[in-house]
Amino acid sequence: MIIAIVLSGILAIVLSGIRLVHDVPYTGDRGVDVVGAILSAVGMGGVVLGILVWQEGGDFVIALLALGIVSLGSLAWWLVRRKREGKPALLDPGLFKSKYFRLGISSQTMQQIALGGLMIALPIFLQMVLEYNALDAGLSLAPLSLSMFFVALLAGKRAGRRSPSKIIRAGFLLLAAGVVVLIPIVPRAHSGWTMAAPLLIAGCGLGLLVSQLNNYTLSPIEEERVSEAAGVNSAGGSFGLSYGLAFAGAIMLASLSLVFSHMAHSSSVLSESEADKVSTQLEKNAEVMTNTHLDSLLVGQPEDVRKEIIHINTKSRPIALQIALLIPLLASLLGLFNGFRMTRLPDPEPSSAAEGMVMG
């Protein structure tokens, strides 16, 4: 019920600003670049799918990742060739000649990787460790999402003449600080609300980024090409979100399996065969291996063995989350580095066309 009310409020706010979206006549070539579209889909899809297959322990991981990387490289070559030949291309590689656009779209991608990493690792942790259901996990993450939403609204309205590059830099700084504070709290968290303060800090940082990055990226683009640039920007953000979700989730579950197996085989209580058995079971069901679930699998085992396995499971899961949180931390630090580069450039002039674009 609470989520439905929040979503309804967000939808109402979005619809109230629909008149701010302005159409700009397009006079360019309307041909379709089929090859470019295929290379784009195979490239981004191959990278994300490769990570998901690795997470599930499937085969052909290297082949999928290689296919994705080669396709993305081929896409870059194909776009330059089409541009040189004067033929319609999926997107104009000339967009990337603008340093503002390159810094903006890369920062957009880093922001989305960080967001995706947080939004996959934390719910898995809350459901595995605290045994929350989906609603409870969502409410525990409310400080992150709500602070991001309200800060984005506030900063968008009150930024005024403040430097957008400095606001972006501050956003990445807050995001990184929130993750840094969160990492040592994780092993001591006995409730989702224990993490509220760092999530609020990270959410404020994300809100500052959301309020500025879109306009910063699109402001140097001519009105006729701003829709194309916005599409590229949106695609970069979507890819970053997918990558963050897949990679952080895979890292967390892989780390959990490795840490658990190491602790099990190092235990003085468990025999080698018992350690192998529980490690194999964890690899198959890592994402749902709560202590309650694990306890049900240990019915009939000696009491000291049962307690040792529960102890190892309890100790290993916070370590896995801490490792997974390094993904959003690294992304936010890379974004912060971009933020410092942005502040060395003159601030771009605000673009009315860019301000009217809604990010997908």
Side-chain angles (χ1 to χ4, degrees):
M1 182 66 179
I2 295 175
I3 295 176
I5 294 173
V6 172
L7 290 176
S8 299
I10 294 173
L11 181 60
I13 293 171
V14 171
L15 291 176
S16 68
I18 196 70
R19 292 186 179 182
L20 298 175
V21 180
H22 303 290
D23 290 327
V24 178
Y26 179 73
T27 58
D29 196 315
R30 296 184 180 274
V32 177
D33 179 10
V34 177
V35 174
I38 293 173
L39 288 174
S40 174
V42 173
M44 291 188 284
V47 171
V48 174
L49 184 60
I51 295 171
L52 292 175
V53 171
W54 170 57
Q55 174 183 324
E56 296 296 326
D59 300 324
F60 309 111
V61 173
I62 295 178
L64 285 169
L65 291 174
L67 176 63
I69 293 170
V70 169
S71 297
L72 290 174
S74 300
L75 174 63
W77 170 81
W78 174 259
L79 294 175
V80 172
R81 176 187 170 185
R82 297 283 286 186
K83 175 73 173 180
R84 190 185 305 120
E85 294 175 352
K87 297 178 180 178
L90 179 68
L91 59 95
D92 185 358
L95 290 171
F96 293 91
K97 291 181 179 179
S98 167
K99 196 167 186 178
Y100 294 100
F101 187 78
R102 293 199 305 271
L103 288 172
I105 197 170
S106 59
S107 297
Q108 185 86 261
T109 303
M110 290 302 107
Q111 174 220 336
Q112 293 293 85
I113 290 175
L115 177 60
L118 290 171
M119 296 305 290
I120 188 65
L122 291 174
I124 291 177
F125 175 78
L126 290 168
Q127 293 181 58
M128 281 197 310
V129 176
L130 302 181
E131 303 191 21
Y132 281 4
N133 57 33
L135 177 60
D136 290 335
L139 290 175
S140 298
L141 295 177
L144 177 71
S145 54
L146 293 178
S147 60
M148 177 175 67
F149 176 68
F150 287 113
V151 169
L153 283 180
L154 188 64
K157 291 180 178 179
R158 299 196 175 183
R161 296 184 177 276
R162 294 180 179 86
S163 169
S165 58
K166 291 181 179 178
I167 295 176
I168 291 169
R169 185 179 63 185
F172 277 117
L173 182 61
L174 284 173
L175 176 56
V179 178
V180 167
V181 174
L182 182 62
I183 289 175
I185 289 177
V186 166
R188 302 167 179 82
H190 299 292
S191 164
W193 295 109
T194 309
M195 301 183 287
L199 290 180
L200 277 170
I201 296 171
C204 289
L206 287 167
L208 291 178
L209 295 173
V210 169
S211 72
Q212 301 297 317
L213 270 175
N214 196 44
N215 194 53
Y216 182 95
T217 306
L218 302 180
S219 57
I221 308 299
E222 309 88 57
E223 284 197 357
E224 184 180 297
R225 303 171 66 196
V226 86
S227 294
E228 178 184 8
V232 177
N233 189 37
S234 180
S238 297
F239 174 70
L241 183 63
S242 300
Y243 182 84
L245 288 166
F247 196 42
I251 288 293
M252 182 175 181
L253 296 180
S255 300
L256 176 60
S257 180
L258 289 173
V259 172
F260 188 100
S261 297
H262 174 74
M263 294 178 71
H265 285 92
S266 301
S267 171
S268 59
V269 176
L270 302 179
S271 67
E272 193 67 25
S273 60
E274 289 169 335
D276 288 337
K277 184 177 179 180
V278 294
S279 297
T280 301
Q281 187 64 37
L282 180 73
E283 288 177 4
K284 296 178 181 178
N285 301 286
E287 68 276 11
V288 294
M289 190 63 76
T290 63
N291 279 347
T292 300
H293 181 210
L294 187 58
D295 196 37
S296 68
L297 297 175
L298 296 172
V299 174
Q301 294 293 326
E303 184 66 13
D304 59 338
V305 170
R306 187 187 67 81
K307 287 184 177 180
E308 178 70 1
I309 294 174
I310 295 293
H311 171 74
I312 291 173
N313 195 46
T314 302
K315 290 291 185 182
S316 60
R317 292 173 301 177
I319 297 173
L321 177 60
Q322 288 176 311
I323 294 172
L325 288 175
L326 296 178
I327 303 303
L329 177 59
L330 179 59
S332 59
L333 290 175
L334 290 173
L336 181 60
F337 174 71
N338 264 358
F340 279 105
R341 294 173 65 194
M342 288 176 177
T343 57
R344 295 173 185 168
L345 299 174
D347 284 326
E349 291 295 325
S351 165
S352 59
E355 289 176 352
M357 299 300 299
V358 178
M359 229 186 69

